[in-house]
Amino acid sequence: MRKEECFYLGKIAKKFSFKGEVLVYLDTDEPELYENLESVFVECGKHLVPFFIENSSLHKNDLLRVRFEDINTEDAADELIGNAIYLPLEMLPKLEGNKFYFHEVIGFEIEDKRLGVVGKIQSINDSTAQPLFEVLDGDKEILIPMIDHFLVSIDRDNKKVIMDLPEGLIEMYL
């Protein structure tokens, strides 16, 4: 399985017991969706390696207590600490309406109600306080804040994000 075919679910945070159990931090708003997984992909080096789960249970809201097959000692569990966990993209719950996954809208056009098509989403910068659409219009990069108030609709059929942007936001890039 290639990383491009998967989504980041979380990270193995720490050991839980001396029998090889670990706690996985889940990077999700709905951790209960991932309580009964049969397997996950663990990033080991630059490779995704399948690990089968013997049992798991939620632990303090966003942690998943996991016992992997063939991980029976503290030392074996130690080797997994800090590694990222991935699942195949098809396991993501479907979103509807104006909710979307960041990876889902890459390549969509941004269309402003007033100005029309502004450009194509190249990536999303979520390292700032407010996530930003990084949009390319020809050779100009435009940064558009991902604010619910600006978002009108997601048109998945036509691959467009319809927005109502404040006057001057786009113009300052042109």
Side-chain angles (χ1 to χ4, degrees), residues 109-120 135 137 142 144 160-165 170-171 174:
E109 288 182 326
I110 294 278
E111 184 177 304
D112 179 54
K113 286 176 71 173
R114 190 172 42 85
L115 298 172
V117 174
V118 173
K120 198 171 269 192
V135 177
D137 178 26
I142 301 169
I144 300 174
K160 288 187 180 190
V161 176
I162 316 295
M163 300 189 83
D164 188 6
L165 299 170
I170 301 302
E171 290 85 350
L174 306 177

Side-chain angles (χ1 to χ4, degrees), residues 101-111 117 119-124 133-136 155-156 158-161:
Y101 294 110
F102 287 1
H103 72 271
E104 177 185 11
V105 296
I106 303 299
F108 279 32
E109 288 182 326
I110 294 278
E111 184 177 304
V117 174
K120 198 171 269 192
I121 300 171
Q122 300 301 303
S123 62
I124 292 178
F133 288 120
E134 294 181 348
V135 177
L136 208 56
D155 182 351
R156 288 175 171 84
N158 296 308
K159 296 188 178 252
K160 288 187 180 190
V161 176

Side-chain angles (χ1 to χ4, degrees), residues 124-144:
I124 292 178
N125 181 344
D126 65 349
S127 64
T128 60
Q130 176 67 51
L132 302 166
F133 288 120
E134 294 181 348
V135 177
L136 208 56
D137 178 26
D139 59 348
K140 289 191 181 8
E141 183 182 56
I142 301 169
L143 301 176
I144 300 174

